Amino acid sequence: MSARIIDVRLNDKTSNGEANMRDEIVEGLSRPVNQKILPTALLYDEEGLRIFDEITTHADDYYLSHAEENLLKNHAHDIAKVMYKQHEGDDQRPVESIVLELGSGPLRKTSHLLSALSEIVPERTTPAPITYYALDLERRKLERTPDQLAASPVGPDMQGKIDTHGLWGTFEGGLRFAAEGGLRGCEAAATVAAALRSRSLSSDDAATQPSSPSSSEQDSIETAPSTPDATPEMPLHLLFLGFSLGNFSRGEGAAFLRALPLRGDKGDTLLVGIDHGTDGARIERAYNDRRGITCRFVLNGLKCAGRVLGDESLFAPEKWEYVGRYNAEEHRHEAFYRSRIAQTVRDPQTKVEFTFLEGELVMVEVAYKYTKEAAYRLFTETNLRPLRCWTDPGSSCALWLLERPPFNFRPLRSPASALSNTPFGVPTLEEFQELREAWDFITTKMIPDSMLFEKPIDLRHICLFYTGHIPTFLDIHLSNLLGEPNTEPEYFKVRQSATFSLVTCLHPTQDIFERGIDPNVDDPSQCHPHSEVPEKEEDWPSHAMVLDFKKRVNARLSKLYAELESGSRQLTRRVARILFMTLEHEAWHTETLLFMLIQRAGSGTIPPSVGGFATPCWESLAEAWDATPAPISATVTLGPTTVELGHDDYEADDATLDVRDHEFGWDNEHPRRKVDVGEFRIEWRPVTNGEFYEFWKAAEGNVPMPRSWVMDNGNVMVRTLYGPVPMKIAHLWPVITDYNSLSAYATDRGGRIPTEAELRLFLDKFEISYEEGRNVGFRNWHPVPATTGGEGGGRGHNGGVWEWTSTVWDKYEGFEASSLYPGFSADFFDTHHNAVCCAYAALHNYLTIVANSSVRRYLTVPCKEDRRALVEARKAPEPEVPGPISSATIWRRISNVLDGQIWVLGPIFFRSRRRQVSSRIVSGCGATADSQVDEVLSILEVLTLMAWP
């Protein structure tokens, strides 16, 4: 097969990685003692690549290559399936796409993936629907690739399904070519002669090339077209294998990933290999194998260095030795040349002398390792979202498939911004803009025009209300803060009558879009003050008008930030509090709007995939979830101890200029208070859908089906924003249901729902952060299985849900309602709400960092059919109570253990499982003597008959 190679080298010698090699060597060897370095590229000349291939084939200690080959061999079909899931055509066939491998690796590994890609293409066509490009600086290697592929077992499978081409150049040249659309126009490439003319390479340039093509070879090389053709944009799938990311420094690696030409709305992906290893001894063996192949590979770099300087024998091999070591502090392997003797090396061209002491080290290569937490941080910093991870069970190596999402939340600023030293202080304008991208995505891409004037659920306003509420809330508080008029049109904030009038709006009353509705679930007529809204669709402003209003309010916010940064307006705590409050207000509404929209998923709401997020490959994910290791033990014992809740944030001090180190919060988080917690046992992981399903099924209709589930043709499905999924997919997710049902489950299992202080203690000790991989911040649009209780001290996450507590939402000593938003908490001190902790998967990471343990939320505890509150509970078993107890204590403990659930379960359910339920309640009450057990059973029978006569 004739090799088709496109020359994508750049005119800039530095970018091309050729002529500057001499300068890099000279600069590196001119450094002080034990700080000298040589370019890593010296290792990978043609001979070096041959030896490296020997390492990957015959060095048993080099686990990385074997692990990657095993991963591709065992999971290539799954990788291909997930890669192409998000852009299948209407007929479920994959659309045309491009696969670009950065640095063409051994074909025995890549061929596994190419074979799997061939299988997902149903028909052979000319040209083939998938085009594979191998990018490499070694031209001869690219020339061999097509012939080797054609002769390999995968060759016949690829015909008519995958076309193969080469890109001759550096990473920078190839990626720039791809970013400019060159891969779409390769058919129009010119000859190498035209390439040489267009690039105007001088004779000096040519002399520094690793090798120049002969006239007979030139016919196989094409130049990158100067203007790509107008063919439709195709998905681009980048392969960065060989764990090459580890050869970049931390900062360089992040910059490289950030610059990749991945588009957030075209289905582009990146498959990258990462070594998560931390075993220093094993890592050192891998880079210094027993056969000595790695030693030959590294020492060959000295030959290459001498050749670049003008004398291949410049660095006498008998005077140097290879040294490799693992640097645990930097989490990297380091490769050095060590001078065996004191010596001087003279540059043949410049006559500059380089002196080396006996034993002096010259660094030539580093290989960084990333823990999984570090990998998540890296992805977050570089705007990449994991779609799937495949881990080799025999090593620490993994392949990650990533996408660049339409929006992403960066890690919390650290250590400071221009306005604040704490991430919980004054938010930046960039944080507003990031959150705005999420809000706009949800309200403009996931809510169709047909739903704008519909209520997403009962007892709520129409969808358009929330689109207008966010800018209105911000505008009202900016006006009050700055003493300025509200943004036009005023009638967005004034209810005049059945219609609206601009003329009569002399002074707004901040209505219409001012405040949402949150009625009592049991009695919807009971509700806090809220906006009076139009009853007819024609009386609402148009969507376009609301969006224009929002644009002008956002411009007002930008102007305020400009004034603060220029110093023309002072930053007081009151100004900072308004900014903090309005940002968090929008974040809360982002989440609660999704809670409502999920109940219309599949019957109105548009899935996130339409806007550019990848469609989950549920079967592949479920396979990984089902393999999630169980906790090392069922429960963990905590306490007794004292837990601190909240923090000190006095609104009375808002006139002060002491802002930079202050952390803000809501009124229910102030002041800091201490709560004593006794010893208790709590399960490592929340109640799952599968566990609750078995309980619900056994209840035979006496426990309501969670509103997060839906019945479809007799099958229970779990709601997601992509539409319902089968229970077998989501059976390990934490269940999302109402308080009463979960309390009934906990009681049936001999436990109870933990208090806020108990759950807070558990979370502060074991919950990981967003940057460490916690399922929040839109890392997924759905829950996933919890990971707490595993190795490494039990730290993990709860799967991405809010968790119920048994603590009633109520006033406490020291509580003061906010003067800016008096009803935020106080309106719900009605005994119908309980405190909740944690966060939903689709919530801004600003609100989900576990370090900010003061964050408190509340949700309704329903007692009738409407189960609006979709949050999750973790059960905390009651501690054992030894010794006999009084009858009065038995009565009290029955009340505590039952937690009112007898009213939910009913006598039929109770009697059908009398022995099981009774024994658990008796145990929970701590009854020991036979007479006390009989008394407990008698009381339970009376309560049952009282509830269900």
Side-chain angles (χ1 to χ4, degrees):
M1 181 184 294
S2 136
R4 170 169 249 160
I5 302 172
I6 304 172
D7 186 355
V8 296
R9 293 173 300 162
L10 303 173
N11 288 329
D12 182 359
K13 297 177 185 178
T14 301
S15 299
N16 203 10
E18 297 164 350
N20 71 313
M21 186 70 74
R22 156 175 278 279
D23 295 337
E24 287 188 38
I25 294 173
V26 171
E27 190 278 328
L29 295 182
S30 300
R31 295 185 182 187
V33 174
N34 284 328
Q35 296 182 31
K36 294 181 175 67
I37 61 171
L38 283 172
T40 301
L42 293 171
L43 303 179
Y44 296 94
D45 66 347
E46 190 163 357
E47 176 65 10
L49 289 171
R50 186 193 64 77
I51 302 175
F52 186 74
D53 188 57
E54 190 178 344
I55 292 174
T56 61
T57 306
H58 300 297
D60 295 336
D61 294 321
Y62 192 69
Y63 64 86
L64 293 94
S65 180
H66 306 305
E68 187 172 62
E69 186 167 358
N70 288 336
L71 284 167
L72 289 170
K73 182 178 180 179
N74 297 328
H75 301 290
H77 291 84
D78 200 23
I79 293 170
K81 183 168 59 176
V82 179
M83 189 183 290
Y84 279 83
K85 174 67 176 179
Q86 63 267 25
H87 48 77
E88 290 175 337
D90 294 336
D91 57 357
Q92 301 302 303
R93 295 181 179 181
V95 299
E96 294 181 349
S97 58
I98 295 168
V99 177
L100 171 58
E101 184 171 7
L102 307 178
S104 55
L107 288 178
R108 67 176 184 276
K109 292 193 293 185
T110 307
S111 62
H112 293 300
L113 186 56
L114 293 176
S115 176
L117 291 173
S118 298
E119 291 188 15
I120 67 174
V121 179
E123 298 176 355
R124 303 180 190 273
T125 60
T126 303
I130 298 177
T131 305
Y132 166 74
Y133 291 90
L135 171 65
D136 206 284
L137 193 55
E138 285 294 323
R139 178 180 51 77
R140 291 189 177 92
K141 184 177 182 182
L142 293 174
E143 291 171 349
R144 294 192 295 265
T145 298
D147 292 332
Q148 290 174 339
L149 279 173
S152 71
V154 73
D157 297 335
M158 291 173 56
Q159 292 181 4
K161 295 185 176 184
I162 302 178
D163 289 336
T164 304
H165 303 303
L167 296 183
W168 180 24
T170 61
F171 285 164
E172 183 179 354
L175 291 173
R176 183 181 298 181
F177 179 57
E180 293 175 354
L183 298 178
R184 292 181 285 117
C186 63
E187 296 295 330
T191 63
V192 69
L196 294 173
R197 289 194 298 271
S198 66
R199 297 175 189 278
S200 301
L201 292 173
S202 67
S203 58
D204 290 340
D205 295 331
T208 62
Q209 309 275 342
S211 59
S212 298
S214 65
S215 59
S216 62
E217 293 171 328
Q218 292 179 359
D219 293 337
S220 67
I221 303 174
E222 302 176 355
T223 59
S226 58
T227 304
D229 62 19
T231 53
E233 294 187 9
M234 294 180 284
L236 172 65
H237 301 291
L238 299 177
L239 310 180
F240 194 37
L241 305 175
F243 304 99
S244 300
L245 183 64
N247 295 130
F248 292 92
S249 69
R250 303 288 186 197
E252 290 171 346
F256 177 79
L257 294 179
R258 199 177 291 114
L260 292 176
L262 297 170
R263 300 156 299 177
D265 58 349
K266 302 298 181 184
D268 296 353
T269 65
L270 166 67
L271 183 68
V272 60
I274 295 181
D275 183 6
H276 299 301
T278 57
D279 184 342
R282 186 183 191 192
I283 292 171
E284 287 188 348
R285 288 196 303 272
Y287 291 90
N288 196 6
D289 63 282
R290 286 166 286 187
R291 295 190 176 196
I293 307 173
T294 306
C295 181
R296 284 195 289 115
F297 167 71
V298 176
L299 291 177
N300 177 72
L302 287 177
K303 280 187 179 181
C304 188
R307 187 165 58 247
V308 172
L309 293 178
D311 181 1
E312 189 174 275
S313 62
L314 187 63
F315 297 90
E318 68 274 8
K319 296 180 181 180
W320 297 90
E321 63 182 347
Y322 163 60
V323 174
R325 69 187 184 194
Y326 177 67
N327 186 330
E329 184 176 347
E330 295 291 336
H331 202 190
R332 71 185 188 188
H333 183 270
E334 300 167 342
F336 298 92
Y337 300 110
R338 180 160 60 195
S339 179
R340 291 177 178 269
I341 61 172
Q343 57 179 304
T344 299
V345 175
R346 177 178 295 179
D347 183 345
Q349 180 175 323
T350 66
K351 308 307 180 185
V352 173
E353 293 185 344
F354 309 108
T355 59
F356 303 92
L357 301 179
E358 181 179 355
E360 183 175 351
L361 298 177
V362 180
M363 180 178 284
V364 67
E365 186 179 43
V366 295
Y368 281 89
K369 311 301 175 182
Y370 291 82
T371 63
K372 282 204 170 181
E373 292 77 15
Y376 275 115
R377 290 191 191 96
L378 178 66
F379 302 150
T380 302
E381 292 168 358
T382 56
N383 191 23
L384 292 170
R385 174 175 174 262
L387 300 179
R388 183 78 159 78
C389 176
W390 295 268
T391 303
D392 178 51
S395 71
S396 53
C397 299
L399 291 176
W400 292 80
L401 187 65
L402 308 158
E403 72 168 350
R404 179 145 289 153
F407 66 85
N408 186 47
F409 295 126
R410 295 171 294 178
L412 291 188
R413 59 184 185 273
S414 177
S417 71
L419 301 175
S420 177
N421 292 332
T422 168
F424 306 109
V426 190
T428 64
L429 181 59
E430 290 72 25
E431 285 171 322
F432 271 99
Q433 292 168 340
E434 283 183 352
L435 181 56
R436 198 174 298 154
E437 289 179 358
W439 178 259
D440 289 347
F441 184 93
I442 295 167
T443 56
T444 64
K445 295 185 181 295
M446 295 179 63
I447 301 177
D449 292 343
S450 59
M451 266 187 68
L452 284 173
F453 296 94
E454 296 178 4
K455 295 181 179 181
I457 62 173
D458 293 336
L459 307 181
R460 286 295 177 270
H461 289 313
I462 64 173
C463 293
L464 183 67
F465 170 85
Y466 300 98
T467 303
H469 172 61
I470 294 302
T472 298
F473 185 90
L474 172 60
D475 194 54
I476 290 171
H477 284 283
L478 289 179
S479 294
N480 292 339
L481 173 69
L482 305 175
E484 298 173 353
N486 292 314
T487 302
E488 294 291 342
E490 291 281 8
Y491 71 81
F492 278 16
K493 309 176 188 69
V494 181
R495 172 71 185 212
Q496 296 294 332
S497 58
T499 59
F500 303 95
S501 171
L502 283 172
V503 178
T504 57
C505 291
L506 300 178
H507 182 70
T509 59
Q510 284 98 29
D511 212 345
I512 301 176
F513 286 126
E514 182 202 5
R515 192 175 184 190
I517 187 171
D518 190 8
N520 186 310
V521 173
D522 298 328
D523 183 3
S525 65
Q526 301 298 312
C527 187
H528 60 74
H530 58 275
S531 298
E532 297 277 343
V533 299
E535 298 178 1
K536 299 179 180 179
E537 180 177 329
E538 57 268 24
D539 290 335
W540 285 90
S542 69
H543 190 210
M545 292 178 67
V546 174
L547 294 179
D548 179 68
F549 169 73
K550 182 185 72 171
K551 181 179 179 181
R552 286 180 284 113
V553 173
N554 289 338
R556 190 179 185 190
L557 178 67
S558 299
K559 179 174 178 290
L560 173 59
Y561 270 100
E563 293 172 351
L564 293 173
E565 292 176 4
S566 68
S568 60
R569 184 179 296 278
Q570 279 191 323
L571 178 62
T572 64
R573 276 198 193 171
R574 178 50 57 104
V575 174
R577 187 179 303 281
I578 293 293
L579 295 173
F580 157 83
M581 183 177 70
T582 51
L583 175 75
E584 286 209 0
H585 171 264
E586 184 169 347
W588 294 133
H589 268 285
T590 302
E591 181 200 43
T592 54
L593 180 58
L594 288 173
F595 269 148
M596 294 186 284
L597 293 179
I598 197 172
Q599 297 186 57
R600 293 288 302 274
S603 61
T605 306
I606 300 172
S609 52
V610 175
F613 282 85
T615 300
C617 190
W618 296 115
E619 294 78 10
S620 174
L621 289 169
E623 181 181 344
W625 293 333
D626 289 345
T628 302
I632 53 179
S633 60
T635 63
V636 60
T637 300
L638 299 175
T641 188
T642 299
V643 176
E644 282 196 351
L645 299 178
H647 63 163
D648 294 326
D649 177 28
Y650 296 88
E651 280 194 30
D653 296 335
D654 276 4
T656 181
L657 300 178
D658 181 15
V659 175
R660 290 195 63 86
D661 296 313
H662 187 71
E663 294 187 357
F664 295 93
W666 296 89
D667 54 11
N668 62 73
E669 300 165 18
H670 167 82
R672 189 186 309 273
R673 56 201 182 280
K674 296 182 178 181
V675 179
D676 292 330
V677 175
E679 182 177 295
F680 66 98
R681 287 185 300 114
I682 187 168
E683 288 189 330
W684 276 111
R685 295 179 184 173
V687 181
T688 66
N689 279 315
E691 291 169 333
F692 193 82
Y693 174 77
E694 295 301 324
F695 167 74
W696 171 80
K697 190 168 59 173
E700 299 178 343
N702 290 290
V703 174
M705 185 174 78
R707 288 289 295 273
S708 62
W709 299 355
V710 63
M711 193 69 73
D712 182 20
N713 294 324
N715 298 313
V716 174
M717 310 281 280
V718 178
R719 298 181 191 267
T720 78
L721 287 159
Y722 296 93
V725 299
M727 179 62 73
K728 67 178 182 179
I729 298 294
H731 72 104
L732 291 178
W733 297 2
V735 68
I736 299 176
T737 190
D738 65 274
Y739 179 90
N740 285 345
S741 295
L742 274 169
S743 185
Y745 174 92
T747 300
D748 181 70
R749 298 298 189 266
R752 59 174 172 81
I753 293 178
T755 66
E756 180 184 11
E758 289 170 337
L759 185 55
R760 187 74 266 164
L761 175 62
F762 176 88
L763 296 172
D764 286 348
K765 188 174 181 64
F766 298 113
E767 190 83 344
I768 61 176
S769 69
Y770 168 68
E771 289 86 353
E772 294 174 303
R774 185 177 172 192
N775 186 35
V776 292
F778 294 89
R779 179 157 279 127
N780 293 288
W781 290 79
H782 52 80
V784 299
T787 61
T788 43
E791 296 180 356
R795 297 185 73 242
H797 60 76
N798 78 341
V801 291
W802 285 99
E803 296 198 38
W804 282 111
T805 78
S806 58
T807 300
V808 176
W809 188 257
D810 204 353
K811 187 175 182 179
Y812 51 82
E813 184 178 354
F815 171 81
E816 294 182 5
S818 169
S819 61
L820 294 171
Y821 197 163
F824 177 78
S825 300
D827 280 355
F828 302 94
F829 293 159
D830 55 9
T831 72
H832 294 289
H833 295 78
N834 275 34
V836 295
C837 296
C838 286
Y840 187 59
L843 180 63
H844 193 322
N845 64 307
Y846 182 87
L847 302 178
T848 59
I849 305 303
V850 72
N852 188 13
S853 59
S854 64
V855 172
R856 302 180 74 224
R857 291 294 306 276
Y858 52 87
L859 285 170
T860 302
V861 179
C863 296
K864 293 187 179 178
E865 289 301 316
D866 188 342
R867 309 301 182 188
R868 178 186 66 82
L870 299 179
V871 293
E872 185 277 340
R874 183 192 304 267
K875 67 177 184 182
E878 285 277 9
E880 295 181 4
V881 182
I885 51 176
S886 66
S887 297
T889 301
I890 290 177
W891 272 94
R892 177 175 59 80
R893 287 190 173 157
I894 286 177
S895 177
N896 290 337
V897 172
L898 288 179
D899 203 13
Q901 293 317 300
I902 199 71
W903 313 100
V904 175
L905 301 179
I908 298 176
F909 174 55
F910 179 80
R911 287 170 180 164
S912 65
R913 305 176 67 192
R914 187 178 194 277
R915 180 176 301 174
Q916 180 182 5
V917 174
S918 300
S919 62
R920 285 178 176 159
I921 293 177
V922 168
S923 175
C925 291
T928 55
D930 291 342
S931 60
Q932 291 175 332
V933 171
D934 292 340
E935 185 173 358
V936 169
L937 296 177
S938 298
I939 293 171
L940 289 176
E941 191 72 25
V942 171
L943 287 173
T944 302
L945 294 174
M946 289 173 60
W948 295 81

